[in-house]
């Protein structure tokens, strides 16, 4: 049991060489730390012997207390901490969680989803979050052990939808059975990783995997699946999707990377470059779009290429952490067995298109959860920040900003859940026909909302929102990186146009004003 002190006893330790403070009922002896305090010793001397809870939370995030727990010497007698942030817990801040987890009723979720979120959140908070800030700040190749931990837990398999691949892992989070698993479980998995608030690190945890492995599962040969899939799902191997080039982004049909058969017909020789390939810097497998025929999409094929002689990856410097492993890839006479063809030769375009709806959907899941997290951050700050002698939240303009943020996030979430429900009920063919347009429009809307949320949050947090460390770090990271979602998987303009073009296909010819 922690030693108990009265507030009068704490008050006697009020000098630089004998410096105690109280933060949320816990007593800290900061005497040895004062001289090393980043903000200067005088900041601590000013509050020596007093309750510095308000001062602490006006300058620091709660996580700082965890790092300095070694300075705790006891507690104030008869008092208990009021500010609790337990690993794996749900937030009680209004709108910080999806409506169902705030007590609303829903036709979409059941007990397995509740157990699944609880298990995944605890795993993310205890196994991944402790490493998030270090990787976000310093970059570098994410340790294979983290991938393997996700593999053992079943989190990797949970991020690429329902299917037979779920039977290739020992278990899924919370013991969910493969035949129970649906797209709402997957939605939860994407949301919980996005909730880390470390965009580069989060993408480094498998953003390449979630778009790179599905083509292998759907179009790869039995031998290819047996060779590749178990190692990737276990986290022992890493995979990425390599389509984009300096010459072709959304215009996939114009890729230039070539694959020519050897005279013996047993190999392809691949030459070309790929750019902005997420996870490419540290991947073992590259699901690569190549040109095997003439111009246009009818000459495109897909190859599974292993990291081998002639394939080199270079780290690219982008707006977020290098932990994402964004790469520039060069293929210089890379020799690839013809057995590594995914699907059929010159019919790679359908392979590429196959997973686009799913990729865009998972981007929506992550982007809107990021918007929700930033809304929560802004709400917390508005309540705890005092300006002109009263909380910031008492300013009508601040409440109006929060109202806009909440309304837009909740609107996207409800549309997302409707789309997800239909994904659960429709075949792939039905999804392609009925959901391609709505998913494109929803992706467009989700990234527009992210833009608006970022803008309002920055205004609410002020200078802290443009500072990489401290109270505004999550908002700063979001405002610097939210545009990724508006480009990856199809730009906003392409998405908006696609959504309307798909609607025109079913537009009644006899409709008139």
């Amino acid at each position: 049991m922690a030693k108990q002190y009265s507030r009068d006893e704490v008050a006697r330790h009020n000098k630089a060489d004998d410096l105690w403070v109280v933060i949320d009922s816990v007593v800290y002896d900061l005497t040895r730390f004062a001289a090393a305090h980043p903000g200067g010793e005088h900041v601590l001397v000013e509050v020596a012997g007093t309750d510095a809870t308000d001062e602490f939370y006006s300058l620091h995030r709660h996580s700082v207390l965890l790092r300095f727990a070694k300075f705790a010497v006891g507690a104030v007698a008869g008092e208990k901490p009021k500010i609790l942030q337990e690993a794996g817990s749900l937030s009680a801040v209004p709108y910080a969680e999806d409506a169902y987890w705030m007590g609303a009723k829903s036709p979409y979720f059941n007990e397995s989803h509740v157990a699944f979120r609880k298990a995944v959140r605890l795993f993310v908070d205890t196994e991944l979050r402790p490493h998030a800030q270090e990787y976000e700040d310093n970059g570098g190749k994410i340790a294979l052990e983290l991938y393997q931990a996700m593999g053992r837990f079943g989190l990797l398999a949970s991020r690429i939808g329902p299917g037979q691949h779920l039977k290739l892992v020992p278990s899924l989070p919370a013991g969910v059975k493969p035949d129970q698993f649906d797209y709402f479980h997957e939605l939860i998995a994407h949301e919980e990783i996005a909730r880390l608030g470390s965009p580069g690190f989060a993408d480094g945890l498998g953003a390449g995997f979630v778009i790179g492995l599905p083509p292998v599962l759907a179009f790869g040969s039995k031998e290819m699946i047996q060779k590749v899939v178990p190692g990737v799902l276990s986290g022992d191997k890493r995979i990425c999707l390599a389509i984009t080039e300096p010459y072709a982004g959304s215009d996939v049909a114009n890729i230039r990377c070539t694959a020519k058969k050897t005279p013996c017909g047993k190999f392809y020789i691949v030459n070309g470059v790929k750019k902005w390939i997420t996870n490419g810097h540290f991947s073992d497998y590259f699901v690569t779009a190549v040109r095997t025929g003439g111009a246009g999409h009818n000459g495109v094929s897909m190859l599974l290429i292993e990291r081998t002689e002639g394939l080199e990856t270079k780290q690219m410097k982008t707006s977020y952490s290098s932990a994402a492993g964004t790469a520039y890839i060069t293929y210089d006479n890379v020799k690839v067995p013809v057995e590594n063809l995914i699907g059929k030769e010159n019919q790679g375009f359908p392979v590429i298109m196959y997973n686009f709806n799913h990729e865009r959907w998972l981007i929506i899941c992550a982007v809107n959860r990021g918007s929700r997290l930033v809304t929560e951050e802004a709400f917390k700050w508005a309540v705890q920040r005092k300006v002109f002698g009263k909380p910031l939240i008492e300013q009508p303009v601040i409440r109006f900003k929060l109202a806009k943020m909440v309304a837009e996030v909740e609107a996207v979430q409800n549309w997302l859940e409707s789309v997800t429900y239909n994904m659960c009920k429709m075949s792939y063919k039905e999804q392609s026909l009925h959901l391609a347009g709505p998913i494109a429009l929803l992706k467009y809307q989700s990234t527009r909302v992210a833009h608006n949320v970022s803008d309002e949050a920055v205004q609410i947090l002020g200078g802290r929102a443009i500072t990489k460390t401290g109270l505004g770090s999550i908002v700063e990271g979001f405002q610097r990186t939210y545009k990724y979602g508006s480009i990856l998987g199809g730009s906003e303009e392409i998405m908006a146009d696609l959504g309307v073009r798909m609607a025109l296909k079913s537009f009644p010819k006899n409709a008139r004003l």
Side-chain angles (χ1 to χ4, degrees):
M1 184 175 179
K3 190 170 181 179
Q4 304 283 298
Y5 298 95
S6 69
R7 288 186 174 268
D8 287 339
E9 288 179 284
V10 174
R12 290 196 287 269
H13 301 271
N14 58 7
K15 301 182 291 295
D17 59 354
D18 184 17
L19 200 164
W20 288 18
V21 297
V22 175
I23 301 175
D24 193 24
S25 81
V26 178
V27 180
Y28 295 87
D29 181 355
L30 301 180
T31 308
R32 289 178 297 136
F33 173 69
H37 184 250
E41 184 180 44
H42 71 281
V43 174
L44 296 180
V45 174
E46 287 181 354
V47 294
T50 71
D51 189 320
T53 302
D54 288 344
E55 288 83 354
F56 175 85
Y57 282 104
S58 71
L59 297 169
H60 302 289
R61 301 185 70 86
H62 181 78
S63 57
V64 173
L65 282 182
L66 304 180
R67 298 206 305 270
F68 290 93
K70 61 184 178 182
F71 294 115
V73 293
V76 176
E79 298 184 18
K80 294 181 180 180
K82 298 178 181 178
I83 304 169
L84 302 175
Q85 293 185 14
E86 297 180 5
S89 63
L90 294 172
S91 175
V93 175
Y95 302 105
E97 307 284 357
D98 303 355
Y100 181 74
W101 275 266
M102 300 297 293
K105 306 300 181 183
S106 171
Y108 305 130
F109 297 105
N110 56 44
E111 290 182 1
S112 74
H113 299 114
V114 173
F116 186 84
R117 188 184 290 278
K118 182 178 180 181
V120 173
R121 178 163 296 191
L122 182 61
F123 176 87
V124 170
D125 282 354
T126 57
E127 301 296 327
L128 302 181
R129 189 175 298 281
H131 307 281
Q133 200 59 53
E134 179 183 353
Y135 277 112
E136 193 71 17
D137 292 342
N138 302 324
K141 180 180 178 179
I142 294 176
L144 187 63
E145 289 75 14
L146 289 182
Y147 269 80
Q148 293 169 331
M150 289 191 293
R152 289 191 302 271
F153 184 62
L155 185 55
L156 289 176
S158 299
R159 295 165 64 191
I160 52 176
Q164 293 300 309
H165 67 278
L166 297 174
K167 298 178 181 179
L168 299 178
V169 295
S171 63
L172 297 173
V176 173
K177 302 300 181 185
D179 59 354
Q180 287 181 297
F181 191 93
D182 62 19
Y183 286 110
F184 283 103
H185 292 99
E186 186 190 355
L187 179 151
I188 291 168
H190 294 308
E191 287 182 335
E192 291 303 314
I193 290 178
R195 182 179 161 272
L196 281 167
S198 303
F201 176 63
D203 277 3
L205 293 173
F209 152 78
V210 296
I211 57 177
L213 193 61
V216 175
L217 287 167
F219 297 96
S221 66
K222 182 178 180 181
E223 293 74 21
M224 182 187 295
I225 291 173
Q226 290 175 342
K227 177 183 178 181
V228 173
V229 175
V232 173
L233 291 181
S234 68
D236 294 328
K237 297 287 185 179
R238 297 187 254 207
I239 193 170
C240 67
L241 183 67
I243 295 177
T244 303
E245 299 179 358
Y247 328 102
S250 297
D251 189 9
V252 176
N254 280 329
I255 62 165
R256 299 185 188 180
C257 185
T258 62
K260 298 181 179 179
K261 275 186 180 175
T262 57
C264 67
K266 293 182 179 180
F267 300 94
Y268 288 102
I269 303 300
V270 179
N271 284 283
V273 297
K274 298 292 178 180
K275 195 172 184 180
W276 299 292
I277 306 305
T278 308
N279 298 174
H281 191 51
F282 45 68
S283 282
D284 303 289
Y285 300 114
F286 302 80
V287 176
T288 306
V290 295
R291 185 160 300 285
T292 50
H297 60 79
N298 289 326
V300 175
S301 299
M302 293 293 286
L303 290 177
L304 174 73
I305 303 178
E306 298 184 48
R307 186 177 286 274
T308 186
E309 184 179 357
L311 189 156
E312 293 187 4
T313 58
K314 298 177 183 177
Q315 181 80 55
M316 291 182 63
K317 293 181 179 180
T318 64
S319 299
Y320 67 2
S321 173
S322 64
T326 307
Y328 183 88
I329 306 173
T330 58
Y331 303 82
D332 187 7
N333 291 323
V334 178
K335 195 175 183 179
V336 182
V338 294
E339 291 80 11
N340 284 28
L341 180 67
I342 301 174
K344 297 180 180 180
E345 188 171 279
N346 295 327
Q347 296 183 31
F349 201 71
V351 177
I352 295 171
M353 300 302 293
Y354 172 81
N355 198 49
F356 259 157
N357 284 338
H358 183 260
E359 176 185 356
R360 290 162 181 164
W361 171 82
L362 68 87
I363 290 172
I364 298 163
C365 297
V367 166
N368 205 54
R369 191 58 183 87
S371 295
R372 185 181 295 280
L373 176 63
V374 167
T375 300
E376 178 187 8
E377 292 282 301
F379 210 155
K380 286 179 178 177
W381 178 246
V383 170
Q384 74 185 59
R385 172 66 165 166
K386 288 185 172 61
V387 289
F388 306 115
K390 58 184 179 180
L392 185 61
I393 192 68
E394 292 190 18
Q395 300 291 339
V397 67
I398 299 299
R399 296 197 297 272
F400 181 63
K401 288 180 180 294
L402 287 168
K404 290 194 293 182
M405 295 162 74
V406 168
E408 290 192 323
V409 169
E410 290 296 332
V412 170
Q413 187 70 33
N414 277 273
W415 193 0
L416 173 60
E417 290 178 5
S418 174
V419 166
T420 304
Y421 176 77
N422 280 278
M423 289 169 62
C424 293
K425 298 298 182 181
M426 290 182 180
S427 66
Y428 173 77
K429 185 176 181 180
E430 289 175 313
Q431 289 184 40
S432 300
L433 179 63
H434 298 292
L435 296 183
I439 288 175
L441 292 174
L442 180 54
K443 182 176 181 294
Y444 162 76
Q445 181 66 7
S446 70
T447 55
R448 283 291 83 202
V449 167
H451 172 86
N452 297 338
V453 166
S454 173
D455 187 59
E456 300 291 7
V458 169
Q459 296 307 115
I460 291 172
L461 273 83
R464 290 168 177 81
I466 52 174
T467 305
K468 284 191 174 183
T469 58
L471 289 161
S473 59
I474 288 176
V475 175
E476 189 280 332
F478 188 79
Q479 62 88 14
R480 181 166 34 85
T481 61
Y482 75 88
K483 289 298 291 184
Y484 278 75
S486 68
I487 297 170
L488 304 181
S491 69
E492 287 184 345
E493 293 77 12
I494 296 290
M495 293 296 93
D497 182 62
L498 173 61
V500 175
R501 284 192 292 110
M502 292 297 291
L504 284 173
K505 288 184 178 182
S506 59
F507 194 90
K509 294 182 179 180
N510 60 350
R512 298 290 187 277
L513 290 176

